[in-house]
Each structure stands twice: as C-alpha cells, then as structure tokens.
Amino acid sequence: DNVEDEWFIVYLVREITREFPGMAARIDDNDGEFLLIEAADFLPKWLNPENSDNRVFFYKGELHLIPLSEPHEQECDLSAATPTISEALTLLSTRCEEFLAAEPIRTAVYKRISGYPEKIQASFHRAHCYLPAGIVAVLRQRPSLVAAAVQAFYLRDPADLRACRSFQTFPPDERVMTVVTFTKCLYAQLVQQKFVPDRRSGYMLPLPSHPQYKAYELGMKLAHGFEILCSKCSKVSPDSKRNVLRGPLWERFLSSLKEKNYFKGQMEGSAKYMELLHMAEDYFQQSVTKPESSVEVSPGDEILTLLRTTTIDLKEFEREAASLPPEDDDSWLEITPDDLDQMLKEARNESLPSANEEEQKYDLEAVAESMKAFVSKVSTHEGAEMPWSSDESHVTFDVDSFTKALDRILGADSEELDSDDLDEEEEFDFLDEDDEDLDAENQREDQKESPNELIGSLKSYMNEMDRELAHTNVGKSFTAQKKGVSISVNATTSQSAGPDSGAEDTELTPVDVDMNLVANLLESYSAQSGLAGPTSNILQSMGVRLPDNADHTDTK
C-alpha cells in the first residue's frame, strides 16, 4: 500500500550491488519493470513490455540496460526474444560498460531513491497507545511485528473478528500506556478506520472528549490485529521439531543461552530448567531456523513464541508510562486545497526542471511550432507520437499521389454510384426522363475533364466560397495577417464574371494561422482554471509549459 516501500527496496538493492561488485540484481512488481515505467519518457524506441524481461539490472551500483542482440533490430518495433538470466549475467560481467543505461534513464530512477537513508526517519510516526502488557513486551523484542498487526486489522473479515470476542491471548485486563513506532502509512491505515469493538471483548473506549481517547482507540485497534494474528497461528508437528533440534546450530544456540545465564542457575533436569528449555526449543524452532523445505514462520507463531520466552514486568512498564516522550504531530494527515495545489506545483516543476528558465525566455512561437510538429506526427492504435526528437521522419506530402487520388474521387471512369447517390435516386423517382438525360449528359462531360482541369475547377469553387464569406462576419472571428500581406481573388475568374463584379473583387487578407492557434490555445488553457485539460496535457507532453494566468485576465 505504501509505494515508498518499493523505492526503499530499490535503494537497498542498489546499495547491495555496490557493496558486492560481483552481484547483479533485477527488481519488478505486479506492474512489471516499474523502473522502466518511471523512466518511460526517456526509453529507446525498440524497448517495449514484450521484450524488456531480463534486460534491466543493477550492477556495481549502477542501472544497466541490455540492448537487442543486433543493432539493426533496435530500429524496428517488433518483439525480440528476451535473454536468459545466464546470458544476461555473462554480458554484464564481460561488457558492463557498454550496457550502462542512458543518463536520463538513470537520473529518473535515481531521483526516486535520492535522500535515503536519511529519508527513512522522516517516514516514521510515533504515537501513544494503550496496549496489553503482552503486546508491549512483544514489540520491545520485535518492533516490526506492528506492520503485520496493522495489516491484519486493516484487512479483517467477519471470521477474523470472531476470535476477538473473547481475546484469549491479549485480554484487556492488564494494559499500559506506551509509545509505538509506525510508518506513516501504517499509522494512517490504523487511525482512519472507524471501528467499534464487540462488547464481549472488554475493550471499552472512553468518551471522545477524553484527553487520551486517541491512545485508547489506537491500542484497541492494534490489540485486535495482534489477536487476529495469533488466532491464525499454525501448530508445529513433534517430528519436525525433533529434526530441527538435532544439529550443530542448535548446540551453538544452547551454549549461547547457557553463557548468558538463561537458565538462571537451575539444575539441569529440574522442572524449572525443563520449562525454560522447552521455551528455548520453541523459539529456536519457529524464529531461528527456517529450512528451505518448511513454510515461513507466521507472525502469529512468532508472537506466541515471544510471549513464552519473554518476561513481562508490568510494574516496569507502568513506571515507564509515567514519563513517556511526547507523540508526533499527525497534522500531516490533513491536506488543505492550498497544500494540494503546492504539492501538484512541486511535482510539475520536478517533471520540468527548467520551467523557471522557460518562463523567463517564454516565446509564443514555440507553442505554435510544437503544435505543428505534433500534428505532423503519425498516430496509430497505440496513440500519437510526441515530437521529442528532431531526427524522426515527418509526414510527407506526395503531390502526384494526391492528384491520382483526387482523379479517382472526382473523375473516376466507373459509372457506379455511391450509397448517397443511390439514396438520392430512390428519393427522387418522380423526376421526368428529360431531367435524367440532362444529368447523364452533364456527367459524361465532367468525366471528359482532365485532372488539372478538375483541380482548377476546385480552386475556382474555393474562390467563390471566399467571395461569399467575405460579406459575412465569419472572417471577423479569426485574426488576419498584417495589411502588407494579402491575396486577391482569381483575376481570371473575376474578369470572366463581367463588369459588375468589380465590387466583389476585393482583396482578401489571409488568416494568421499561428496567431489564431496560439490565441485559441491560451483561451482553452485559461478556461481550465488551473486544472488538467487538453491544452496543458498536450503541450506539457511535448516539453512546453505555459505560464500561470496569475492576473486572470483575458489571455487573448
């Protein structure tokens, strides 16, 4: 549940490979190669989820990426066979310098693990809890068991709560105040859940106005977690116990107990001696030795073993409770809208490290050029390619192919009608035969026209549309170029229209495409009101960051 735990493990793995130069390590999770996901913006084109297995390793403290076997294969987007572990290790041990991941990839990954090990302390939270003395004694020996207890309570089900009606292991009779160290994630999981204990359990809470209500509530929840763990503990068979207690490891463990006066001078074979010996055997069986063939010892088994082997001094716990250190402030659980905005702003600035420089040298031409580059890219079923690098091929326009395609559309030799024509033919069956003959004659005349004549006719048609729109307000919605740049309507067409057409033969000022594009983008960005939207998403994916509209004025 705490993603920072994963990155802490990544830090540990990296440090292990740095400490032991002959070791290589790879790490993944349910999402796959999440190190590559973190550096997704900087990966080479040939790398995809299908061929990424056994290619990402930490070796000598650095991130390595094993490429495809042949250089020309990297230019294609097809899946390639992944190397085996032995092949990958052989390549790393002989040519590791060649496989060092690119600097942007390593920077993206190392950024997530920067700050360790100092950052570990910042993830802790210390809180007062009113707990049974047995749990206090167990946590003194194994502080990490608090994680298993919180998880057991957090993921509880009705069957688990049946064990919490009687509390056979941790009854509420002998409870003391103590300080428990959580991670912030564990503390949040425990404190944010609303839970009312069963009346039969004996765990009664004071009024919410009580100054120590939170300590009572946290202790009650944590006690439920420990009780659930113990109710699920397994039983160790006598045969497996006898097998484990035969060997040099047990002998060394027993000798160590005797040196530390574990048996407290009791005579060997006495009842007290045998009681202590059995507790030591149980502890050794469940906590010290974990044969590869056996199942890992469950937290419940470990708790029960610690309860049998640990002395519980209630008076000592009560004396310590009188002078407990203050608990940590948990105001970090509450995030105001301003705090959230600040966090999002910091995350955005981290993703764009040069945002301040870009804002100082801001150029609207970069916005227009980025959008043009984006539109010129190829889009497939996997999405549109973002114009990150300039060495990628742009979409080209073949005039001859376009002319042939236009010829097929407007001047096709086939006399077959499309679906729209068929519908119109059925709709207008009432036309007389003379009109049909006239249409057929006109169609034959159109088919005799050459492709160049068709294109010229299309241009004339577009000019006529321009004249018609010139007398409307449509053009006023667009920003035109400066007066010095203008185009005139086709003079030949104008002259052939007759002497009265001079009034319509006006100069048409071309639209400033870049200015209209930027104005519409800024208007769309302003309408987002600081939230995510299409304009900011597209531009940020291309590395262009628009400045904040601080004065809330019209961006146009």
Side-chain angles (χ1 to χ4, degrees), residues 103-126:
E103 181 66 25
I105 299 177
R106 286 181 290 148
T107 301
V109 173
Y110 296 165
K111 187 176 182 180
R112 287 303 303 266
I113 59 178
S114 61
Y116 286 111
E118 294 79 9
K119 196 162 61 174
I120 297 174
Q121 295 298 325
S123 66
F124 287 149
H125 183 89
R126 296 162 183 83

PDB file of all heavy atoms in Angstrom, residues 103-126:
ATOM      1  N   GLU A 103      21.965   8.376 -19.484  1.00  0.00           N
ATOM      2  CA  GLU A 103      21.945   9.303 -18.351  1.00  0.00           C
ATOM      3  C   GLU A 103      20.534   9.731 -17.960  1.00  0.00           C
ATOM      4  O   GLU A 103      20.198   9.746 -16.772  1.00  0.00           O
ATOM      5  CB  GLU A 103      22.802  10.530 -18.688  1.00  0.00           C
ATOM      6  CG  GLU A 103      22.873  11.558 -17.570  1.00  0.00           C
ATOM      7  CD  GLU A 103      23.598  11.040 -16.343  1.00  0.00           C
ATOM      8  OE1 GLU A 103      24.438  10.133 -16.485  1.00  0.00           O
ATOM      9  OE2 GLU A 103      23.312  11.555 -15.243  1.00  0.00           O
ATOM     10  N   PRO A 104      19.644  10.084 -18.917  1.00  0.00           N
ATOM     11  CA  PRO A 104      18.277  10.465 -18.498  1.00  0.00           C
ATOM     12  C   PRO A 104      17.514   9.344 -17.802  1.00  0.00           C
ATOM     13  O   PRO A 104      16.741   9.596 -16.870  1.00  0.00           O
ATOM     14  CB  PRO A 104      17.603  10.860 -19.824  1.00  0.00           C
ATOM     15  CG  PRO A 104      18.728  11.199 -20.745  1.00  0.00           C
ATOM     16  CD  PRO A 104      19.843  10.290 -20.365  1.00  0.00           C
ATOM     17  N   ILE A 105      17.743   8.094 -18.231  1.00  0.00           N
ATOM     18  CA  ILE A 105      17.066   6.961 -17.600  1.00  0.00           C
ATOM     19  C   ILE A 105      17.555   6.795 -16.168  1.00  0.00           C
ATOM     20  O   ILE A 105      16.761   6.638 -15.228  1.00  0.00           O
ATOM     21  CB  ILE A 105      17.298   5.677 -18.413  1.00  0.00           C
ATOM     22  CG1 ILE A 105      16.719   5.825 -19.831  1.00  0.00           C
ATOM     23  CG2 ILE A 105      16.683   4.470 -17.708  1.00  0.00           C
ATOM     24  CD1 ILE A 105      16.969   4.627 -20.716  1.00  0.00           C
ATOM     25  N   ARG A 106      18.858   6.838 -15.985  1.00  0.00           N
ATOM     26  CA  ARG A 106      19.409   6.679 -14.636  1.00  0.00           C
ATOM     27  C   ARG A 106      18.996   7.832 -13.731  1.00  0.00           C
ATOM     28  O   ARG A 106      18.664   7.641 -12.559  1.00  0.00           O
ATOM     29  CB  ARG A 106      20.927   6.585 -14.704  1.00  0.00           C
ATOM     30  CG  ARG A 106      21.434   5.240 -15.243  1.00  0.00           C
ATOM     31  CD  ARG A 106      22.949   5.198 -15.258  1.00  0.00           C
ATOM     32  NE  ARG A 106      23.483   6.086 -16.278  1.00  0.00           N
ATOM     33  CZ  ARG A 106      24.635   6.744 -16.188  1.00  0.00           C
ATOM     34  NH1 ARG A 106      25.356   6.646 -15.092  1.00  0.00           N
ATOM     35  NH2 ARG A 106      25.045   7.504 -17.172  1.00  0.00           N
ATOM     36  N   THR A 107      18.964   9.036 -14.283  1.00  0.00           N
ATOM     37  CA  THR A 107      18.572  10.194 -13.478  1.00  0.00           C
ATOM     38  C   THR A 107      17.139  10.064 -12.991  1.00  0.00           C
ATOM     39  O   THR A 107      16.814  10.368 -11.825  1.00  0.00           O
ATOM     40  CB  THR A 107      18.732  11.479 -14.305  1.00  0.00           C
ATOM     41  OG1 THR A 107      20.098  11.602 -14.716  1.00  0.00           O
ATOM     42  CG2 THR A 107      18.337  12.696 -13.484  1.00  0.00           C
ATOM     43  N   ALA A 108      16.245   9.599 -13.862  1.00  0.00           N
ATOM     44  CA  ALA A 108      14.834   9.458 -13.478  1.00  0.00           C
ATOM     45  C   ALA A 108      14.664   8.437 -12.357  1.00  0.00           C
ATOM     46  O   ALA A 108      13.868   8.637 -11.434  1.00  0.00           O
ATOM     47  CB  ALA A 108      14.000   9.058 -14.697  1.00  0.00           C
ATOM     48  N   VAL A 109      15.408   7.335 -12.417  1.00  0.00           N
ATOM     49  CA  VAL A 109      15.295   6.296 -11.394  1.00  0.00           C
ATOM     50  C   VAL A 109      15.980   6.729 -10.105  1.00  0.00           C
ATOM     51  O   VAL A 109      15.414   6.585  -9.005  1.00  0.00           O
ATOM     52  CB  VAL A 109      15.894   4.973 -11.905  1.00  0.00           C
ATOM     53  CG1 VAL A 109      15.925   3.935 -10.790  1.00  0.00           C
ATOM     54  CG2 VAL A 109      15.088   4.452 -13.089  1.00  0.00           C
ATOM     55  N   TYR A 110      17.174   7.278 -10.208  1.00  0.00           N
ATOM     56  CA  TYR A 110      17.914   7.675  -9.008  1.00  0.00           C
ATOM     57  C   TYR A 110      17.220   8.819  -8.274  1.00  0.00           C
ATOM     58  O   TYR A 110      17.392   8.982  -7.056  1.00  0.00           O
ATOM     59  CB  TYR A 110      19.335   8.097  -9.373  1.00  0.00           C
ATOM     60  CG  TYR A 110      20.175   6.985  -9.953  1.00  0.00           C
ATOM     61  CD1 TYR A 110      21.366   7.256 -10.625  1.00  0.00           C
ATOM     62  CD2 TYR A 110      19.770   5.655  -9.858  1.00  0.00           C
ATOM     63  CE1 TYR A 110      22.142   6.238 -11.158  1.00  0.00           C
ATOM     64  CE2 TYR A 110      20.526   4.634 -10.400  1.00  0.00           C
ATOM     65  CZ  TYR A 110      21.717   4.932 -11.049  1.00  0.00           C
ATOM     66  OH  TYR A 110      22.464   3.920 -11.589  1.00  0.00           O
ATOM     67  N   LYS A 111      16.434   9.590  -8.996  1.00  0.00           N
ATOM     68  CA  LYS A 111      15.725  10.698  -8.351  1.00  0.00           C
ATOM     69  C   LYS A 111      14.709  10.183  -7.333  1.00  0.00           C
ATOM     70  O   LYS A 111      14.482  10.806  -6.292  1.00  0.00           O
ATOM     71  CB  LYS A 111      15.034  11.534  -9.427  1.00  0.00           C
ATOM     72  CG  LYS A 111      14.397  12.813  -8.905  1.00  0.00           C
ATOM     73  CD  LYS A 111      13.821  13.617 -10.057  1.00  0.00           C
ATOM     74  CE  LYS A 111      13.233  14.918  -9.559  1.00  0.00           C
ATOM     75  NZ  LYS A 111      12.660  15.711 -10.681  1.00  0.00           N
ATOM     76  N   ARG A 112      14.102   9.025  -7.637  1.00  0.00           N
ATOM     77  CA  ARG A 112      13.110   8.461  -6.729  1.00  0.00           C
ATOM     78  C   ARG A 112      13.735   7.888  -5.457  1.00  0.00           C
ATOM     79  O   ARG A 112      13.057   7.743  -4.444  1.00  0.00           O
ATOM     80  CB  ARG A 112      12.310   7.367  -7.441  1.00  0.00           C
ATOM     81  CG  ARG A 112      11.323   7.872  -8.466  1.00  0.00           C
ATOM     82  CD  ARG A 112      10.324   8.848  -7.868  1.00  0.00           C
ATOM     83  NE  ARG A 112       9.592   8.280  -6.745  1.00  0.00           N
ATOM     84  CZ  ARG A 112       8.412   7.697  -6.840  1.00  0.00           C
ATOM     85  NH1 ARG A 112       7.809   7.619  -8.010  1.00  0.00           N
ATOM     86  NH2 ARG A 112       7.806   7.220  -5.775  1.00  0.00           N
ATOM     87  N   ILE A 113      14.998   7.515  -5.508  1.00  0.00           N
ATOM     88  CA  ILE A 113      15.637   6.921  -4.331  1.00  0.00           C
ATOM     89  C   ILE A 113      16.634   7.884  -3.695  1.00  0.00           C
ATOM     90  O   ILE A 113      17.409   7.486  -2.814  1.00  0.00           O
ATOM     91  CB  ILE A 113      16.337   5.589  -4.688  1.00  0.00           C
ATOM     92  CG1 ILE A 113      17.394   5.799  -5.769  1.00  0.00           C
ATOM     93  CG2 ILE A 113      15.323   4.569  -5.147  1.00  0.00           C
ATOM     94  CD1 ILE A 113      18.157   4.524  -6.119  1.00  0.00           C
ATOM     95  N   SER A 114      16.614   9.133  -4.131  1.00  0.00           N
ATOM     96  CA  SER A 114      17.521  10.106  -3.518  1.00  0.00           C
ATOM     97  C   SER A 114      17.019  10.449  -2.111  1.00  0.00           C
ATOM     98  O   SER A 114      15.821  10.437  -1.843  1.00  0.00           O
ATOM     99  CB  SER A 114      17.582  11.379  -4.378  1.00  0.00           C
ATOM    100  OG  SER A 114      16.305  11.970  -4.474  1.00  0.00           O
ATOM    101  N   GLY A 115      17.924  10.756  -1.235  1.00  0.00           N
ATOM    102  CA  GLY A 115      17.566  11.109   0.134  1.00  0.00           C
ATOM    103  C   GLY A 115      17.680   9.987   1.129  1.00  0.00           C
ATOM    104  O   GLY A 115      17.658  10.235   2.345  1.00  0.00           O
ATOM    105  N   TYR A 116      17.777   8.749   0.652  1.00  0.00           N
ATOM    106  CA  TYR A 116      17.992   7.629   1.568  1.00  0.00           C
ATOM    107  C   TYR A 116      19.468   7.554   1.922  1.00  0.00           C
ATOM    108  O   TYR A 116      20.324   7.908   1.105  1.00  0.00           O
ATOM    109  CB  TYR A 116      17.544   6.317   0.923  1.00  0.00           C
ATOM    110  CG  TYR A 116      16.046   6.147   0.841  1.00  0.00           C
ATOM    111  CD1 TYR A 116      15.390   6.182  -0.377  1.00  0.00           C
ATOM    112  CD2 TYR A 116      15.274   5.983   1.985  1.00  0.00           C
ATOM    113  CE1 TYR A 116      14.015   6.039  -0.468  1.00  0.00           C
ATOM    114  CE2 TYR A 116      13.901   5.841   1.914  1.00  0.00           C
ATOM    115  CZ  TYR A 116      13.280   5.875   0.686  1.00  0.00           C
ATOM    116  OH  TYR A 116      11.921   5.739   0.617  1.00  0.00           O
ATOM    117  N   PRO A 117      19.827   7.100   3.120  1.00  0.00           N
ATOM    118  CA  PRO A 117      18.962   6.549   4.172  1.00  0.00           C
ATOM    119  C   PRO A 117      18.364   7.588   5.121  1.00  0.00           C
ATOM    120  O   PRO A 117      17.585   7.250   5.991  1.00  0.00           O
ATOM    121  CB  PRO A 117      19.908   5.628   4.940  1.00  0.00           C
ATOM    122  CG  PRO A 117      21.240   6.286   4.800  1.00  0.00           C
ATOM    123  CD  PRO A 117      21.257   6.915   3.441  1.00  0.00           C
ATOM    124  N   GLU A 118      18.721   8.873   4.935  1.00  0.00           N
ATOM    125  CA  GLU A 118      18.204   9.888   5.857  1.00  0.00           C
ATOM    126  C   GLU A 118      16.677   9.969   5.810  1.00  0.00           C
ATOM    127  O   GLU A 118      16.023  10.262   6.817  1.00  0.00           O
ATOM    128  CB  GLU A 118      18.808  11.253   5.522  1.00  0.00           C
ATOM    129  CG  GLU A 118      20.316  11.361   5.756  1.00  0.00           C
ATOM    130  CD  GLU A 118      21.119  10.737   4.635  1.00  0.00           C
ATOM    131  OE1 GLU A 118      20.500  10.376   3.590  1.00  0.00           O
ATOM    132  OE2 GLU A 118      22.345  10.583   4.790  1.00  0.00           O
ATOM    133  N   LYS A 119      16.106   9.709   4.634  1.00  0.00           N
ATOM    134  CA  LYS A 119      14.660   9.852   4.466  1.00  0.00           C
ATOM    135  C   LYS A 119      13.871   8.802   5.244  1.00  0.00           C
ATOM    136  O   LYS A 119      12.656   8.926   5.417  1.00  0.00           O
ATOM    137  CB  LYS A 119      14.317   9.779   2.976  1.00  0.00           C
ATOM    138  CG  LYS A 119      12.947  10.287   2.643  1.00  0.00           C
ATOM    139  CD  LYS A 119      12.801  10.614   1.159  1.00  0.00           C
ATOM    140  CE  LYS A 119      13.018   9.428   0.258  1.00  0.00           C
ATOM    141  NZ  LYS A 119      12.722   9.735  -1.153  1.00  0.00           N
ATOM    142  N   ILE A 120      14.549   7.762   5.736  1.00  0.00           N
ATOM    143  CA  ILE A 120      13.857   6.709   6.480  1.00  0.00           C
ATOM    144  C   ILE A 120      13.212   7.279   7.737  1.00  0.00           C
ATOM    145  O   ILE A 120      12.047   6.985   8.054  1.00  0.00           O
ATOM    146  CB  ILE A 120      14.839   5.576   6.842  1.00  0.00           C
ATOM    147  CG1 ILE A 120      15.382   4.924   5.566  1.00  0.00           C
ATOM    148  CG2 ILE A 120      14.159   4.534   7.718  1.00  0.00           C
ATOM    149  CD1 ILE A 120      16.464   3.896   5.825  1.00  0.00           C
ATOM    150  N   GLN A 121      13.951   8.095   8.447  1.00  0.00           N
ATOM    151  CA  GLN A 121      13.422   8.647   9.698  1.00  0.00           C
ATOM    152  C   GLN A 121      12.202   9.532   9.461  1.00  0.00           C
ATOM    153  O   GLN A 121      11.303   9.594  10.298  1.00  0.00           O
ATOM    154  CB  GLN A 121      14.522   9.447  10.415  1.00  0.00           C
ATOM    155  CG  GLN A 121      15.701   8.607  10.877  1.00  0.00           C
ATOM    156  CD  GLN A 121      15.287   7.561  11.900  1.00  0.00           C
ATOM    157  OE1 GLN A 121      14.411   7.789  12.727  1.00  0.00           O
ATOM    158  NE2 GLN A 121      15.917   6.393  11.842  1.00  0.00           N
ATOM    159  N   ALA A 122      12.152  10.177   8.313  1.00  0.00           N
ATOM    160  CA  ALA A 122      11.020  11.066   8.026  1.00  0.00           C
ATOM    161  C   ALA A 122       9.729  10.300   7.786  1.00  0.00           C
ATOM    162  O   ALA A 122       8.639  10.884   7.850  1.00  0.00           O
ATOM    163  CB  ALA A 122      11.341  11.937   6.805  1.00  0.00           C
ATOM    164  N   SER A 123       9.832   8.994   7.516  1.00  0.00           N
ATOM    165  CA  SER A 123       8.630   8.201   7.238  1.00  0.00           C
ATOM    166  C   SER A 123       8.053   7.576   8.502  1.00  0.00           C
ATOM    167  O   SER A 123       7.014   6.921   8.433  1.00  0.00           O
ATOM    168  CB  SER A 123       8.951   7.090   6.233  1.00  0.00           C
ATOM    169  OG  SER A 123       9.849   6.141   6.791  1.00  0.00           O
ATOM    170  N   PHE A 124       8.696   7.767   9.662  1.00  0.00           N
ATOM    171  CA  PHE A 124       8.203   7.186  10.920  1.00  0.00           C
ATOM    172  C   PHE A 124       7.201   8.128  11.587  1.00  0.00           C
ATOM    173  O   PHE A 124       7.236   9.348  11.407  1.00  0.00           O
ATOM    174  CB  PHE A 124       9.356   6.918  11.884  1.00  0.00           C
ATOM    175  CG  PHE A 124      10.215   5.747  11.484  1.00  0.00           C
ATOM    176  CD1 PHE A 124      11.569   5.731  11.795  1.00  0.00           C
ATOM    177  CD2 PHE A 124       9.696   4.675  10.806  1.00  0.00           C
ATOM    178  CE1 PHE A 124      12.370   4.653  11.432  1.00  0.00           C
ATOM    179  CE2 PHE A 124      10.479   3.601  10.437  1.00  0.00           C
ATOM    180  CZ  PHE A 124      11.811   3.598  10.747  1.00  0.00           C
ATOM    181  N   HIS A 125       6.333   7.530  12.375  1.00  0.00           N
ATOM    182  CA  HIS A 125       5.404   8.303  13.209  1.00  0.00           C
ATOM    183  C   HIS A 125       5.266   7.591  14.546  1.00  0.00           C
ATOM    184  O   HIS A 125       4.931   6.405  14.595  1.00  0.00           O
ATOM    185  CB  HIS A 125       4.031   8.433  12.543  1.00  0.00           C
ATOM    186  CG  HIS A 125       3.078   9.279  13.334  1.00  0.00           C
ATOM    187  ND1 HIS A 125       2.988  10.648  13.179  1.00  0.00           N
ATOM    188  CD2 HIS A 125       2.179   8.943  14.310  1.00  0.00           C
ATOM    189  CE1 HIS A 125       2.080  11.125  14.015  1.00  0.00           C
ATOM    190  NE2 HIS A 125       1.575  10.114  14.716  1.00  0.00           N
ATOM    191  N   ARG A 126       5.503   8.317  15.612  1.00  0.00           N
ATOM    192  CA  ARG A 126       5.442   7.757  16.966  1.00  0.00           C
ATOM    193  C   ARG A 126       4.181   8.245  17.650  1.00  0.00           C
ATOM    194  O   ARG A 126       3.931   9.458  17.689  1.00  0.00           O
ATOM    195  CB  ARG A 126       6.688   8.140  17.752  1.00  0.00           C
ATOM    196  CG  ARG A 126       7.967   7.559  17.156  1.00  0.00           C
ATOM    197  CD  ARG A 126       9.215   8.257  17.651  1.00  0.00           C
ATOM    198  NE  ARG A 126      10.419   7.729  16.997  1.00  0.00           N
ATOM    199  CZ  ARG A 126      10.838   8.135  15.812  1.00  0.00           C
ATOM    200  NH1 ARG A 126      10.184   9.093  15.156  1.00  0.00           N
ATOM    201  NH2 ARG A 126      11.917   7.616  15.264  1.00  0.00           N
TER     202      ARG A 126
END
